[in-house]
Amino acid sequence: MRAPSSILPLALVEVTFAAGGRTIVDAITCEIGPSARTVIVGPNGAGKSVLMRLCHGLLAPTTGRIEWRGAGASAVGRRQAMVFQRPVMLRRSAQANIEYALALHGVPRRDRWALARDALGRVGLGHLAERPARVLSGGEQQRLAIARAWALRPEVLFLDEPTASLDPTATREIEAAIDAIHASGTKIVMTTHNLGQARRLADEILFLHQGRLVERAPAIRFFTSPATAEAAAFIKGELPWT
Amino acid sequence: MNSLHEAFAQAAALVASGDPALVDIVLLSLRVSLSAVCIATLIGLPIGAAIGVGRFPGRRALIVVLNALMGLPPVVVGLLVYLLLSRAGPLGELGILFTPAAMVIAQSILILPIIAALARQAIEDAWTEYQEQLRSLGAGRLSAAFTLLRDTRFSLLTAVLAGFGRAAAEVGAVMIVGGNIDGVTRVMTTAIALETSKGDLPLALGLGVILISLVLILNAAAYLTKEAAQRRYG
Ligand SMILES: Nc1ncnc2c1ncn2[C@@H]1O[C@H](COP(=O)(O)OP(=O)(O)OP(=O)(O)O)[C@@H](O)[C@H]1O
Ligand SMILES: [Mg+2]
């Protein structure tokens, strides 16, 4: 069987998003290609989450265009998934939450159970499969959200601060899971506040500041010799907490 | 004071004796009001969900009207249904005026806005919270509406119960379209009104106590269910 053709690259052309009288994302132009792990960093309120929502299609840009330019771009919705900064779980078991997402993606009923179990196992939640999802701890819900997104086998996975509320052990587990997802051929686009994590996971960095894309660089170069003063200050300022 | 004591004592004796006429009245009340609740729920929940997640012109006006209709006066509903079902009315052919069926129709109309409006509120609140997640997972509005109906089921129980409380307690609508015919359309509320005006306080009081107890028990059960569910599902 031939692999379906890719939906990537994703092109942003002068994308601006304004709300409440403020420009939150300011004329961003860039192209996000396949394979590399793209990590978006920037201070609080820089517009990272909004940019992700725009890319994922939950928000429409005020001006500018967002285009999936791959040959397989006709069914974009089902081939990307997103893990939110604050994921929402349905009032049913962890297992059933994943099965629900699989059902929406047209996975046949007989395959859902095993796929969901497998995804739970990969984030270390196998033993909590039958627990109601909403009573799980914040970190467990975050892992469940990653499992749910992963079970969909997306071509592109957006992760908005996937480890923000996790303890160090869980953070390692999630980073390993993200690595595995990437190794299985999924394009990773994520945000993080943790520059240590950005160093560990990123192939390339998009640095956002006040809604503008200030710098884009391969991860190694970004951390060793940032090209802009804002990025340098950001790295210097954030590093002590990583 | 004394007569009040007496009335209570006689009422208690009457309830305890399980008087068949009394039992019939209670059962008819339950039959009518529960039927009305079923009908209003089947129609009201989908309406509430549709308005809750829908986007269409006039939506906000519709919400205001729906909320206002929660306060429909039962006698007015009774009058309208009476006009519809009376011999000269558009549905006069059915010949169901002064039957329990007419009472069910009137109560359904009375509580439909209550159930729909409360469901709309619950579902819209949940939609605000779930919207991005559900859209991200690929749910369209229709499937999102079903998901929300299921996920808010315990809040919806409260809405349905509010409807039942209203139906069981109202007297104006069933009086007009039922006619309070002994053994045919006499329910608890109309019997209370009649017996009070006749001066038979024990029977009226006995029925009143039963009515309040029923509503209390149902609400307690629903409250406990909801609480248990909240603890279990978060
Ligand atoms: N719908 C909206 N209406 C008005 N303002 C908004 C809206 N969404 C986001 N904002 C504002 O846009 C700015 C950027 O928000 P965003 O969530 O993208 O920041 P972020 O970079 O993800 O920050 P953090 O690191 O804290 O998650 C914030 O100041 C936020 O208050
Ligand atoms: Mg954010």
Side-chain angles (χ1 to χ4, degrees), chain B residues 160-185:
Chain B
V160 170
L161 236 90
F164 175 78
R166 173 87 157 157
E170 71 87 20
V171 55
V174 281
M175 183 75 95
I176 293 180
V177 304
N180 195 23
I181 304 166
D182 193 9
V184 183
T185 59

Side-chain angles (χ1 to χ4, degrees), chain A residues 53 56-59 80-82 84 86-92 100-101 104-105 132 134-135 148 152, chain B residues 129-140 143-144 147 150-154 230-234:
Chain A
R53 285 186 169 82
H56 188 44
L58 291 173
L59 295 173
Q80 45 163 332
M82 177 156 171
F84 291 88
R86 282 186 289 266
V88 176
M89 293 300 155
L90 300 176
R91 288 195 173 80
R92 49 185 95 183
Y100 172 82
L104 283 178
H105 275 242
R134 287 200 166 220
V135 304
R148 180 170 62 184
L152 301 176
Chain B
E129 182 192 348
Y130 290 33
Q131 183 169 21
E132 285 202 323
Q133 184 75 66
L134 292 184
R135 281 175 58 204
S136 168
L137 292 175
S143 83
T147 302
R150 187 187 149 155
D151 242 54
T152 55
R153 58 194 179 275
F154 301 111
Q230 218 126 46
R231 232 175 305 131
R232 168 138 172 66
Y233 295 105

Side-chain angles (χ1 to χ4, degrees), chain A residues 50 67 131 144 166 239:
Chain A
V50 170
E67 293 165 0
R131 196 71 71 78
L144 174 55
L166 300 187
L239 269 180

Side-chain angles (χ1 to χ4, degrees), chain A residues 19-20 22 24 43-50 85 161 193:
Chain A
R22 284 180 48 216
I24 294 162
N44 287 132
K48 304 183 293 295
S49 297
V50 170
Q85 201 165 351
E161 307 206 18
H193 271 133

